[in-house]
Amino acid sequence: MMRSFFKKMTGSRLRPAMGRRRLFACLLLMRWLLPGAAAQAPPAAPEVVVVGGGLSGTFAALQAARLGASVLLLEETPWLGGMLTAAGVSAIDGNHRLPSGLWGEFRDSLYARYGGPAAVETGWVSNTLFEPAVAQEILRNMVAATPRISLQPEAQLLTLQRQGTGWEGVFLQKNQRHAFRCRVLVEATEQGDWLRALGVPRDLGMDSRAASGEAFAPAEANDIVQDLTYVAILKDYGPGADRTIPRPRGYDPDAFRCCCETADPSQKNSSLIDCARMLSYGRLPNGKYMINWPNCGNDIYLQLADTTPDERRRLLEAAKLHTLRFVYFMQHELGYRQLGIAEGEFPTSDGLPLIPYYREAARIRGLVRLTVNHLLRPFDQPEALYRTGIAVGDYPIDHHHKKNPAAPAIDFINIKTPSFNLPLGALIPPDFPNLIAAEKSISVSNIVNGASRLQPVIMGIGQAAGALAALAVQLGVPTAEVPVRLVQASLLQQGAYLMPYIDVPVTDFHFSDIQQIGATGIIKGVGVPYKWANQTWFYPEWPVSEFELLDGLRPWYPQLAQRRDASGMRLRPPYLLSLLSAVRPGLTQTELTTVWQEAGFGDVLPDHHAFNRLEAAVLVNRLLRPFDIPVDHRGHPLRVDVDGR
């Protein structure tokens, strides 16, 4: 049964064609045109419960439901989307050239809403900027158009505990208590509050050098987390308008003097950025501005771990006040009086976001832990975690610690990583069957969190969590026992990236082949640290040698372990056939040529043809199917079939 299910998931190499997105658009249109369905009570026995309708939670619910699971999605606020919407961080950081899965679908909806890519390239911090309320509406529509999701906004989870192999709990909504039981639980809250309540082992703050094995980590561990931010969305109300807010309590202009270089000659400082450029950092469509400025701006250090709800609310009021002081400084001291807090952007009395921008939470101790060593040298680690990738990111290590002088000095900017992927095992806490961690609570080191916390990565984490949850339900096994390759195959079917190859895009006919070969490491990509959008290239047109291919195949096929007949010469059909037939006895030149033709490479395959990396990858993938060989959560092969199938 497991094998047939795997073949079903991996057998077809679907191109992420526009037909799927057109179908989704048609479903949305039908929903707008047809009368709305009456509100229904939440199901008492959903198969999957997602706690937290933030960014990863929303995407987890979408993916689980699209794979056929019934999903209960609980969110404390009226909004979906978390940091992307409710926190106002409406500028996508990274993955512009990696539109993976649901992230690409969401971005297509933004393009359709605003009028194309150029319409959302409004600020210099990002290629995709938008109004939070618009993104919230798009996410709502995506959820509404997906059957089998019961969305329960403004719902407070009261109790949660194990029940046999699943979970049970009670939540409060509109003064009514609702009980539920489920098979799989996805914990996707902003701070991992229910992971803490359940007693899941976690790490908070900076890891020690000895514990993480990272040369960049401090010698001693500490509980210091990144600064958080209460974002403000300002609107330009036009020349002559004065939208200056009342002077906030405790206002001190000196706290913000170093935010930018002013026009006042006495305040000139060549190390500061121009104030107009600071403002255009987060310029949104329709004359709005996202104020999320770390340099003497509205970042603030707060330690919220282990606080009660009342203590957290009190501390966050201080964060709001700090942001209002910065807004007043911009209006009163910098002269931006026409910029006021955008009315109607958020359903709040003060016009500020519903929640702050949390950059960090305590991180579970998962089946595996991703460290910066895996990012820097993914192919040279004891664990081949890259083979288990379920989400990709290209943003560099970026930590905010300017508001906490006690934070050890770590040169995060100069940790030069290429683009990366995240391992499935980082979402799974041991000894907690059918519990999946998402959002910023996954098992990564503190340093890696500086890159894994960004929006597109969190979307990918959520989509993977949803796929894992749905497959656990379908197979009737605990989440830790769902085959890694099944989860990856499911994500590939949705146009998601497993490997961050920017030169073989999701629209490429051979996308799935290259992703699958990349996830085996038989032919490896090349990582390049590059500015603020790191890269990994597959280089499909590069030549491939006999030795390179044999060396890549050896870990998977013991039949090839003792072969020493490969040279550095270009790979050609006779030698390729000798390798393939050693794994699959009886494989003929005719079969090789047939696959060559089916892949669209040509009608004839002459013996003297020198293969490039793309051709070799596709032929090996389709004739040997190495991606079908199971791997454990560390990326090590579990078994090897005699015939390579």
Side-chain angles (χ1 to χ4, degrees), residues 160-169 180-183 433-434:
L160 183 63
Q161 60 187 13
R162 287 191 194 184
Q163 173 61 38
T165 59
W167 301 88
E168 67 177 12
F180 66 82
R181 288 188 178 185
C182 67
R183 170 76 175 170
N434 293 323

Side-chain angles (χ1 to χ4, degrees), residues 29-74:
L29 180 60
M30 289 173 63
R31 183 168 186 88
W32 292 333
L33 294 177
L34 295 174
Q40 297 180 348
E47 292 166 315
V48 176
V49 169
V50 180
V51 182
L55 194 50
S56 66
T58 299
F59 280 63
L62 285 167
Q63 184 62 41
R66 290 184 181 188
L67 290 179
S70 59
V71 181
L72 175 63
L73 176 56
L74 304 176

